[in-house]
Amino acid sequence: MSLRVQLVSVPVTDQDRALAFYRDKLDCTLVEDTPFGDKQRWIQLHPPGGGADLVLFTPPCHEDRVGTLAPMAFTSDDVQASYKMLLKRGVEFTEPPSEQPDGGLQALFKDPDGNLFVLHS
């Protein structure tokens, strides 16, 4: 058996604002943007370095997930360079890169909805 993660849902309150952030600041590529129900759209983005696609969608009754620590992390070969580039693009970091016990670097950043993401090496 071969399993892999295909999609990760990111709960958001404003899909247009979230799309602009992930596309313009994180360089994700838009895969799909189609109506989903009467109030939302299915917005799927592919991260520039590969991996699971992000879906900017909040399932009904899961609005309490918006603005929490995301159950996923971004990785970079050069956290310091990624941190500096994202800062220039206006990404808000709550913690700058710091050395971790495993010897890697880690930083924390937010999206416009306050979802908190780990960036690590």
Side-chain angles (χ1 to χ4, degrees), residues 10-14 17-19 21-22 25-26 54 56 65-68 70 74 90-94 108-117:
V10 178
V12 299
T13 58
D14 182 326
R17 180 181 67 183
L19 173 58
F21 175 83
Y22 288 91
K25 295 188 188 265
L26 300 187
L54 305 176
L56 307 179
R65 292 178 44 214
V66 176
T68 62
F74 288 91
V91 174
E92 178 186 351
F93 279 81
T94 61
L108 297 175
F109 70 92
K110 288 182 176 184
D111 74 1
D113 279 296
N115 295 309
L116 191 60
F117 295 94

PDB file of all heavy atoms in Angstrom, residues 10-14 17-19 21-22 25-26 54 56 65-68 70 74 90-94 108-117:
ATOM      1  N   VAL A  10      -7.145  24.679   4.740  1.00  0.00           N
ATOM      2  CA  VAL A  10      -6.797  25.840   5.551  1.00  0.00           C
ATOM      3  C   VAL A  10      -8.086  26.632   5.752  1.00  0.00           C
ATOM      4  O   VAL A  10      -8.639  27.172   4.791  1.00  0.00           O
ATOM      5  CB  VAL A  10      -5.726  26.723   4.856  1.00  0.00           C
ATOM      6  CG1 VAL A  10      -5.419  27.947   5.715  1.00  0.00           C
ATOM      7  CG2 VAL A  10      -4.466  25.920   4.579  1.00  0.00           C
ATOM      8  N   PRO A  11      -8.588  26.692   6.984  1.00  0.00           N
ATOM      9  CA  PRO A  11      -9.842  27.405   7.222  1.00  0.00           C
ATOM     10  C   PRO A  11      -9.651  28.918   7.144  1.00  0.00           C
ATOM     11  O   PRO A  11      -8.723  29.463   7.745  1.00  0.00           O
ATOM     12  CB  PRO A  11     -10.240  26.969   8.637  1.00  0.00           C
ATOM     13  CG  PRO A  11      -8.933  26.650   9.301  1.00  0.00           C
ATOM     14  CD  PRO A  11      -8.040  26.123   8.206  1.00  0.00           C
ATOM     15  N   VAL A  12     -10.504  29.577   6.367  1.00  0.00           N
ATOM     16  CA  VAL A  12     -10.392  31.027   6.173  1.00  0.00           C
ATOM     17  C   VAL A  12     -11.768  31.679   6.257  1.00  0.00           C
ATOM     18  O   VAL A  12     -12.788  31.027   6.059  1.00  0.00           O
ATOM     19  CB  VAL A  12      -9.735  31.360   4.810  1.00  0.00           C
ATOM     20  CG1 VAL A  12      -8.324  30.788   4.742  1.00  0.00           C
ATOM     21  CG2 VAL A  12     -10.562  30.848   3.643  1.00  0.00           C
ATOM     22  N   THR A  13     -11.774  32.978   6.534  1.00  0.00           N
ATOM     23  CA  THR A  13     -13.035  33.720   6.588  1.00  0.00           C
ATOM     24  C   THR A  13     -13.304  34.492   5.307  1.00  0.00           C
ATOM     25  O   THR A  13     -14.446  34.738   4.963  1.00  0.00           O
ATOM     26  CB  THR A  13     -13.041  34.719   7.767  1.00  0.00           C
ATOM     27  OG1 THR A  13     -11.929  35.610   7.616  1.00  0.00           O
ATOM     28  CG2 THR A  13     -12.970  34.010   9.097  1.00  0.00           C
ATOM     29  N   ASP A  14     -12.254  34.886   4.612  1.00  0.00           N
ATOM     30  CA  ASP A  14     -12.382  35.667   3.379  1.00  0.00           C
ATOM     31  C   ASP A  14     -11.542  34.983   2.300  1.00  0.00           C
ATOM     32  O   ASP A  14     -10.321  35.107   2.287  1.00  0.00           O
ATOM     33  CB  ASP A  14     -11.897  37.100   3.626  1.00  0.00           C
ATOM     34  CG  ASP A  14     -12.035  38.008   2.428  1.00  0.00           C
ATOM     35  OD1 ASP A  14     -11.878  37.527   1.280  1.00  0.00           O
ATOM     36  OD2 ASP A  14     -12.265  39.204   2.625  1.00  0.00           O
ATOM     37  N   ARG A  17      -9.231  37.288   0.036  1.00  0.00           N
ATOM     38  CA  ARG A  17      -8.045  37.770   0.764  1.00  0.00           C
ATOM     39  C   ARG A  17      -7.042  36.640   0.962  1.00  0.00           C
ATOM     40  O   ARG A  17      -5.840  36.822   0.777  1.00  0.00           O
ATOM     41  CB  ARG A  17      -8.484  38.352   2.109  1.00  0.00           C
ATOM     42  CG  ARG A  17      -7.336  38.883   2.955  1.00  0.00           C
ATOM     43  CD  ARG A  17      -7.818  39.430   4.267  1.00  0.00           C
ATOM     44  NE  ARG A  17      -8.348  38.332   5.077  1.00  0.00           N
ATOM     45  CZ  ARG A  17      -8.896  38.474   6.267  1.00  0.00           C
ATOM     46  NH1 ARG A  17      -9.009  39.669   6.798  1.00  0.00           N
ATOM     47  NH2 ARG A  17      -9.345  37.437   6.942  1.00  0.00           N
ATOM     48  N   ALA A  18      -7.538  35.446   1.311  1.00  0.00           N
ATOM     49  CA  ALA A  18      -6.658  34.294   1.509  1.00  0.00           C
ATOM     50  C   ALA A  18      -5.983  33.889   0.200  1.00  0.00           C
ATOM     51  O   ALA A  18      -4.779  33.605   0.180  1.00  0.00           O
ATOM     52  CB  ALA A  18      -7.450  33.120   2.096  1.00  0.00           C
ATOM     53  N   LEU A  19      -6.737  33.885  -0.890  1.00  0.00           N
ATOM     54  CA  LEU A  19      -6.163  33.543  -2.189  1.00  0.00           C
ATOM     55  C   LEU A  19      -5.029  34.496  -2.541  1.00  0.00           C
ATOM     56  O   LEU A  19      -3.950  34.067  -2.958  1.00  0.00           O
ATOM     57  CB  LEU A  19      -7.240  33.574  -3.275  1.00  0.00           C
ATOM     58  CG  LEU A  19      -6.756  33.399  -4.713  1.00  0.00           C
ATOM     59  CD1 LEU A  19      -6.012  32.092  -4.899  1.00  0.00           C
ATOM     60  CD2 LEU A  19      -7.944  33.495  -5.666  1.00  0.00           C
ATOM     61  N   PHE A  21      -3.120  36.179  -0.534  1.00  0.00           N
ATOM     62  CA  PHE A  21      -1.978  35.919   0.348  1.00  0.00           C
ATOM     63  C   PHE A  21      -1.186  34.704  -0.118  1.00  0.00           C
ATOM     64  O   PHE A  21       0.035  34.777  -0.309  1.00  0.00           O
ATOM     65  CB  PHE A  21      -2.462  35.707   1.791  1.00  0.00           C
ATOM     66  CG  PHE A  21      -1.371  35.324   2.752  1.00  0.00           C
ATOM     67  CD1 PHE A  21      -0.567  36.294   3.325  1.00  0.00           C
ATOM     68  CD2 PHE A  21      -1.150  33.994   3.101  1.00  0.00           C
ATOM     69  CE1 PHE A  21       0.448  35.946   4.216  1.00  0.00           C
ATOM     70  CE2 PHE A  21      -0.153  33.635   3.984  1.00  0.00           C
ATOM     71  CZ  PHE A  21       0.651  34.614   4.540  1.00  0.00           C
ATOM     72  N   TYR A  22      -1.852  33.585  -0.283  1.00  0.00           N
ATOM     73  CA  TYR A  22      -1.150  32.345  -0.619  1.00  0.00           C
ATOM     74  C   TYR A  22      -0.564  32.384  -2.030  1.00  0.00           C
ATOM     75  O   TYR A  22       0.520  31.851  -2.266  1.00  0.00           O
ATOM     76  CB  TYR A  22      -2.071  31.134  -0.434  1.00  0.00           C
ATOM     77  CG  TYR A  22      -2.313  30.844   1.019  1.00  0.00           C
ATOM     78  CD1 TYR A  22      -3.395  31.407   1.691  1.00  0.00           C
ATOM     79  CD2 TYR A  22      -1.441  30.051   1.745  1.00  0.00           C
ATOM     80  CE1 TYR A  22      -3.604  31.169   3.044  1.00  0.00           C
ATOM     81  CE2 TYR A  22      -1.633  29.806   3.094  1.00  0.00           C
ATOM     82  CZ  TYR A  22      -2.713  30.374   3.738  1.00  0.00           C
ATOM     83  OH  TYR A  22      -2.906  30.153   5.081  1.00  0.00           O
ATOM     84  N   LYS A  25       2.008  36.131  -1.892  1.00  0.00           N
ATOM     85  CA  LYS A  25       3.075  36.210  -0.888  1.00  0.00           C
ATOM     86  C   LYS A  25       3.837  34.895  -0.734  1.00  0.00           C
ATOM     87  O   LYS A  25       5.037  34.893  -0.499  1.00  0.00           O
ATOM     88  CB  LYS A  25       2.511  36.668   0.445  1.00  0.00           C
ATOM     89  CG  LYS A  25       1.964  38.094   0.356  1.00  0.00           C
ATOM     90  CD  LYS A  25       1.583  38.637   1.698  1.00  0.00           C
ATOM     91  CE  LYS A  25       0.863  39.953   1.561  1.00  0.00           C
ATOM     92  NZ  LYS A  25       1.708  41.092   1.686  1.00  0.00           N
ATOM     93  N   LEU A  26       3.132  33.753  -0.862  1.00  0.00           N
ATOM     94  CA  LEU A  26       3.796  32.463  -0.698  1.00  0.00           C
ATOM     95  C   LEU A  26       4.110  31.791  -2.035  1.00  0.00           C
ATOM     96  O   LEU A  26       4.667  30.697  -2.051  1.00  0.00           O
ATOM     97  CB  LEU A  26       2.942  31.526   0.170  1.00  0.00           C
ATOM     98  CG  LEU A  26       2.629  31.987   1.591  1.00  0.00           C
ATOM     99  CD1 LEU A  26       1.939  30.870   2.362  1.00  0.00           C
ATOM    100  CD2 LEU A  26       3.867  32.460   2.331  1.00  0.00           C
ATOM    101  N   LEU A  54      -2.964  22.976  -0.976  1.00  0.00           N
ATOM    102  CA  LEU A  54      -3.729  23.677   0.049  1.00  0.00           C
ATOM    103  C   LEU A  54      -5.114  23.974  -0.498  1.00  0.00           C
ATOM    104  O   LEU A  54      -5.258  24.366  -1.657  1.00  0.00           O
ATOM    105  CB  LEU A  54      -3.040  24.994   0.420  1.00  0.00           C
ATOM    106  CG  LEU A  54      -1.590  24.911   0.856  1.00  0.00           C
ATOM    107  CD1 LEU A  54      -1.039  26.310   1.095  1.00  0.00           C
ATOM    108  CD2 LEU A  54      -1.452  24.059   2.100  1.00  0.00           C
ATOM    109  N   LEU A  56      -8.314  26.376   0.401  1.00  0.00           N
ATOM    110  CA  LEU A  56      -8.777  27.493   1.232  1.00  0.00           C
ATOM    111  C   LEU A  56     -10.288  27.378   1.367  1.00  0.00           C
ATOM    112  O   LEU A  56     -11.058  27.900   0.566  1.00  0.00           O
ATOM    113  CB  LEU A  56      -8.380  28.824   0.582  1.00  0.00           C
ATOM    114  CG  LEU A  56      -6.908  28.963   0.222  1.00  0.00           C
ATOM    115  CD1 LEU A  56      -6.655  30.312  -0.443  1.00  0.00           C
ATOM    116  CD2 LEU A  56      -6.027  28.780   1.445  1.00  0.00           C
ATOM    117  N   ARG A  65     -12.037  26.756  13.812  1.00  0.00           N
ATOM    118  CA  ARG A  65     -10.664  26.387  13.460  1.00  0.00           C
ATOM    119  C   ARG A  65      -9.885  27.559  12.875  1.00  0.00           C
ATOM    120  O   ARG A  65      -8.657  27.531  12.842  1.00  0.00           O
ATOM    121  CB  ARG A  65     -10.687  25.234  12.451  1.00  0.00           C
ATOM    122  CG  ARG A  65     -11.192  23.937  13.041  1.00  0.00           C
ATOM    123  CD  ARG A  65     -11.259  22.811  12.021  1.00  0.00           C
ATOM    124  NE  ARG A  65     -10.087  22.739  11.180  1.00  0.00           N
ATOM    125  CZ  ARG A  65     -10.112  22.362   9.906  1.00  0.00           C
ATOM    126  NH1 ARG A  65     -11.234  22.029   9.324  1.00  0.00           N
ATOM    127  NH2 ARG A  65      -8.995  22.322   9.207  1.00  0.00           N
ATOM    128  N   VAL A  66     -10.589  28.578  12.401  1.00  0.00           N
ATOM    129  CA  VAL A  66      -9.921  29.742  11.805  1.00  0.00           C
ATOM    130  C   VAL A  66      -9.103  30.450  12.883  1.00  0.00           C
ATOM    131  O   VAL A  66      -9.584  30.702  13.983  1.00  0.00           O
ATOM    132  CB  VAL A  66     -10.951  30.719  11.187  1.00  0.00           C
ATOM    133  CG1 VAL A  66     -10.258  31.972  10.672  1.00  0.00           C
ATOM    134  CG2 VAL A  66     -11.743  30.042  10.084  1.00  0.00           C
ATOM    135  N   GLY A  67      -7.849  30.764  12.560  1.00  0.00           N
ATOM    136  CA  GLY A  67      -7.000  31.506  13.497  1.00  0.00           C
ATOM    137  C   GLY A  67      -6.302  30.651  14.521  1.00  0.00           C
ATOM    138  O   GLY A  67      -5.833  31.156  15.540  1.00  0.00           O
ATOM    139  N   THR A  68      -6.170  29.353  14.264  1.00  0.00           N
ATOM    140  CA  THR A  68      -5.498  28.458  15.207  1.00  0.00           C
ATOM    141  C   THR A  68      -4.173  27.976  14.610  1.00  0.00           C
ATOM    142  O   THR A  68      -3.857  28.279  13.460  1.00  0.00           O
ATOM    143  CB  THR A  68      -6.386  27.239  15.545  1.00  0.00           C
ATOM    144  OG1 THR A  68      -6.634  26.499  14.352  1.00  0.00           O
ATOM    145  CG2 THR A  68      -7.708  27.685  16.167  1.00  0.00           C
ATOM    146  N   ALA A  70      -2.023  25.748  12.669  1.00  0.00           N
ATOM    147  CA  ALA A  70      -2.323  24.833  11.571  1.00  0.00           C
ATOM    148  C   ALA A  70      -1.704  23.463  11.838  1.00  0.00           C
ATOM    149  O   ALA A  70      -0.583  23.377  12.332  1.00  0.00           O
ATOM    150  CB  ALA A  70      -1.804  25.403  10.260  1.00  0.00           C
ATOM    151  N   PHE A  74       5.370  24.207   6.892  1.00  0.00           N
ATOM    152  CA  PHE A  74       6.109  24.462   5.664  1.00  0.00           C
ATOM    153  C   PHE A  74       7.576  24.179   5.943  1.00  0.00           C
ATOM    154  O   PHE A  74       8.052  24.399   7.052  1.00  0.00           O
ATOM    155  CB  PHE A  74       5.954  25.924   5.222  1.00  0.00           C
ATOM    156  CG  PHE A  74       4.590  26.247   4.687  1.00  0.00           C
ATOM    157  CD1 PHE A  74       3.595  26.719   5.528  1.00  0.00           C
ATOM    158  CD2 PHE A  74       4.305  26.097   3.335  1.00  0.00           C
ATOM    159  CE1 PHE A  74       2.337  27.021   5.041  1.00  0.00           C
ATOM    160  CE2 PHE A  74       3.056  26.403   2.829  1.00  0.00           C
ATOM    161  CZ  PHE A  74       2.062  26.865   3.686  1.00  0.00           C
ATOM    162  N   GLY A  90       5.669  41.151   3.176  1.00  0.00           N
ATOM    163  CA  GLY A  90       4.655  41.565   4.140  1.00  0.00           C
ATOM    164  C   GLY A  90       4.054  40.458   4.975  1.00  0.00           C
ATOM    165  O   GLY A  90       3.046  40.659   5.642  1.00  0.00           O
ATOM    166  N   VAL A  91       4.667  39.286   4.984  1.00  0.00           N
ATOM    167  CA  VAL A  91       4.178  38.191   5.816  1.00  0.00           C
ATOM    168  C   VAL A  91       4.529  38.492   7.268  1.00  0.00           C
ATOM    169  O   VAL A  91       5.657  38.879   7.581  1.00  0.00           O
ATOM    170  CB  VAL A  91       4.775  36.838   5.368  1.00  0.00           C
ATOM    171  CG1 VAL A  91       4.391  35.722   6.327  1.00  0.00           C
ATOM    172  CG2 VAL A  91       4.333  36.510   3.942  1.00  0.00           C
ATOM    173  N   GLU A  92       3.553  38.328   8.158  1.00  0.00           N
ATOM    174  CA  GLU A  92       3.756  38.600   9.585  1.00  0.00           C
ATOM    175  C   GLU A  92       4.304  37.361  10.290  1.00  0.00           C
ATOM    176  O   GLU A  92       3.675  36.305  10.279  1.00  0.00           O
ATOM    177  CB  GLU A  92       2.443  39.011  10.238  1.00  0.00           C
ATOM    178  CG  GLU A  92       2.562  39.262  11.719  1.00  0.00           C
ATOM    179  CD  GLU A  92       1.233  39.533  12.400  1.00  0.00           C
ATOM    180  OE1 GLU A  92       0.217  39.699  11.714  1.00  0.00           O
ATOM    181  OE2 GLU A  92       1.232  39.564  13.645  1.00  0.00           O
ATOM    182  N   PHE A  93       5.462  37.515  10.906  1.00  0.00           N
ATOM    183  CA  PHE A  93       6.061  36.439  11.691  1.00  0.00           C
ATOM    184  C   PHE A  93       5.822  36.724  13.166  1.00  0.00           C
ATOM    185  O   PHE A  93       6.002  37.846  13.630  1.00  0.00           O
ATOM    186  CB  PHE A  93       7.558  36.321  11.411  1.00  0.00           C
ATOM    187  CG  PHE A  93       7.862  35.561  10.156  1.00  0.00           C
ATOM    188  CD1 PHE A  93       7.795  36.186   8.926  1.00  0.00           C
ATOM    189  CD2 PHE A  93       8.187  34.219  10.207  1.00  0.00           C
ATOM    190  CE1 PHE A  93       8.054  35.489   7.757  1.00  0.00           C
ATOM    191  CE2 PHE A  93       8.451  33.505   9.049  1.00  0.00           C
ATOM    192  CZ  PHE A  93       8.384  34.142   7.821  1.00  0.00           C
ATOM    193  N   THR A  94       5.445  35.690  13.907  1.00  0.00           N
ATOM    194  CA  THR A  94       5.290  35.823  15.353  1.00  0.00           C
ATOM    195  C   THR A  94       6.570  35.414  16.066  1.00  0.00           C
ATOM    196  O   THR A  94       6.767  35.793  17.214  1.00  0.00           O
ATOM    197  CB  THR A  94       4.110  34.980  15.873  1.00  0.00           C
ATOM    198  OG1 THR A  94       4.357  33.607  15.580  1.00  0.00           O
ATOM    199  CG2 THR A  94       2.805  35.425  15.231  1.00  0.00           C
ATOM    200  N   LEU A 108       7.787  31.072  12.982  1.00  0.00           N
ATOM    201  CA  LEU A 108       6.322  30.981  12.948  1.00  0.00           C
ATOM    202  C   LEU A 108       5.759  32.203  12.241  1.00  0.00           C
ATOM    203  O   LEU A 108       6.175  33.331  12.519  1.00  0.00           O
ATOM    204  CB  LEU A 108       5.748  30.914  14.364  1.00  0.00           C
ATOM    205  CG  LEU A 108       6.145  29.706  15.210  1.00  0.00           C
ATOM    206  CD1 LEU A 108       5.597  29.859  16.632  1.00  0.00           C
ATOM    207  CD2 LEU A 108       5.648  28.417  14.593  1.00  0.00           C
ATOM    208  N   PHE A 109       4.801  31.979  11.320  1.00  0.00           N
ATOM    209  CA  PHE A 109       4.160  33.090  10.634  1.00  0.00           C
ATOM    210  C   PHE A 109       2.649  32.897  10.589  1.00  0.00           C
ATOM    211  O   PHE A 109       2.147  31.797  10.812  1.00  0.00           O
ATOM    212  CB  PHE A 109       4.736  33.285   9.221  1.00  0.00           C
ATOM    213  CG  PHE A 109       4.389  32.209   8.224  1.00  0.00           C
ATOM    214  CD1 PHE A 109       3.267  32.325   7.413  1.00  0.00           C
ATOM    215  CD2 PHE A 109       5.202  31.096   8.075  1.00  0.00           C
ATOM    216  CE1 PHE A 109       2.960  31.346   6.484  1.00  0.00           C
ATOM    217  CE2 PHE A 109       4.909  30.114   7.140  1.00  0.00           C
ATOM    218  CZ  PHE A 109       3.778  30.238   6.342  1.00  0.00           C
ATOM    219  N   LYS A 110       1.957  34.012  10.307  1.00  0.00           N
ATOM    220  CA  LYS A 110       0.493  34.018  10.259  1.00  0.00           C
ATOM    221  C   LYS A 110       0.012  34.342   8.860  1.00  0.00           C
ATOM    222  O   LYS A 110       0.655  35.093   8.127  1.00  0.00           O
ATOM    223  CB  LYS A 110      -0.071  35.107  11.171  1.00  0.00           C
ATOM    224  CG  LYS A 110       0.033  34.869  12.635  1.00  0.00           C
ATOM    225  CD  LYS A 110      -0.635  36.031  13.350  1.00  0.00           C
ATOM    226  CE  LYS A 110      -0.670  35.827  14.837  1.00  0.00           C
ATOM    227  NZ  LYS A 110      -1.407  36.928  15.497  1.00  0.00           N
ATOM    228  N   ASP A 111      -1.174  33.824   8.540  1.00  0.00           N
ATOM    229  CA  ASP A 111      -1.855  34.265   7.334  1.00  0.00           C
ATOM    230  C   ASP A 111      -2.836  35.371   7.734  1.00  0.00           C
ATOM    231  O   ASP A 111      -2.915  35.720   8.923  1.00  0.00           O
ATOM    232  CB  ASP A 111      -2.517  33.084   6.609  1.00  0.00           C
ATOM    233  CG  ASP A 111      -3.773  32.547   7.286  1.00  0.00           C
ATOM    234  OD1 ASP A 111      -4.211  33.071   8.335  1.00  0.00           O
ATOM    235  OD2 ASP A 111      -4.335  31.573   6.750  1.00  0.00           O
ATOM    236  N   PRO A 112      -3.573  35.960   6.803  1.00  0.00           N
ATOM    237  CA  PRO A 112      -4.466  37.074   7.155  1.00  0.00           C
ATOM    238  C   PRO A 112      -5.577  36.715   8.150  1.00  0.00           C
ATOM    239  O   PRO A 112      -6.129  37.590   8.797  1.00  0.00           O
ATOM    240  CB  PRO A 112      -5.069  37.482   5.809  1.00  0.00           C
ATOM    241  CG  PRO A 112      -4.097  37.037   4.791  1.00  0.00           C
ATOM    242  CD  PRO A 112      -3.496  35.784   5.347  1.00  0.00           C
ATOM    243  N   ASP A 113      -5.896  35.427   8.285  1.00  0.00           N
ATOM    244  CA  ASP A 113      -6.925  35.000   9.240  1.00  0.00           C
ATOM    245  C   ASP A 113      -6.347  34.652  10.599  1.00  0.00           C
ATOM    246  O   ASP A 113      -7.069  34.236  11.494  1.00  0.00           O
ATOM    247  CB  ASP A 113      -7.702  33.801   8.683  1.00  0.00           C
ATOM    248  CG  ASP A 113      -8.769  34.217   7.700  1.00  0.00           C
ATOM    249  OD1 ASP A 113      -9.709  34.909   8.110  1.00  0.00           O
ATOM    250  OD2 ASP A 113      -8.645  33.866   6.509  1.00  0.00           O
ATOM    251  N   GLY A 114      -5.036  34.783  10.761  1.00  0.00           N
ATOM    252  CA  GLY A 114      -4.407  34.464  12.024  1.00  0.00           C
ATOM    253  C   GLY A 114      -4.029  33.004  12.165  1.00  0.00           C
ATOM    254  O   GLY A 114      -3.585  32.583  13.231  1.00  0.00           O
ATOM    255  N   ASN A 115      -4.216  32.209  11.101  1.00  0.00           N
ATOM    256  CA  ASN A 115      -3.754  30.817  11.148  1.00  0.00           C
ATOM    257  C   ASN A 115      -2.243  30.844  11.289  1.00  0.00           C
ATOM    258  O   ASN A 115      -1.553  31.584  10.578  1.00  0.00           O
ATOM    259  CB  ASN A 115      -4.149  30.075   9.867  1.00  0.00           C
ATOM    260  CG  ASN A 115      -5.646  29.929   9.720  1.00  0.00           C
ATOM    261  OD1 ASN A 115      -6.323  29.472  10.640  1.00  0.00           O
ATOM    262  ND2 ASN A 115      -6.167  30.323   8.576  1.00  0.00           N
ATOM    263  N   LEU A 116      -1.731  30.072  12.208  1.00  0.00           N
ATOM    264  CA  LEU A 116      -0.304  30.073  12.532  1.00  0.00           C
ATOM    265  C   LEU A 116       0.371  28.870  11.909  1.00  0.00           C
ATOM    266  O   LEU A 116      -0.100  27.739  12.044  1.00  0.00           O
ATOM    267  CB  LEU A 116      -0.145  30.048  14.052  1.00  0.00           C
ATOM    268  CG  LEU A 116       1.217  30.302  14.645  1.00  0.00           C
ATOM    269  CD1 LEU A 116       1.736  31.684  14.255  1.00  0.00           C
ATOM    270  CD2 LEU A 116       1.157  30.174  16.170  1.00  0.00           C
ATOM    271  N   PHE A 117       1.482  29.118  11.190  1.00  0.00           N
ATOM    272  CA  PHE A 117       2.211  28.075  10.487  1.00  0.00           C
ATOM    273  C   PHE A 117       3.661  28.027  10.945  1.00  0.00           C
ATOM    274  O   PHE A 117       4.278  29.059  11.190  1.00  0.00           O
ATOM    275  CB  PHE A 117       2.195  28.317   8.984  1.00  0.00           C
ATOM    276  CG  PHE A 117       0.828  28.237   8.383  1.00  0.00           C
ATOM    277  CD1 PHE A 117       0.078  29.384   8.223  1.00  0.00           C
ATOM    278  CD2 PHE A 117       0.295  27.019   8.003  1.00  0.00           C
ATOM    279  CE1 PHE A 117      -1.188  29.319   7.677  1.00  0.00           C
ATOM    280  CE2 PHE A 117      -0.973  26.942   7.451  1.00  0.00           C
ATOM    281  CZ  PHE A 117      -1.717  28.094   7.294  1.00  0.00           C
TER     282      PHE A 117
END
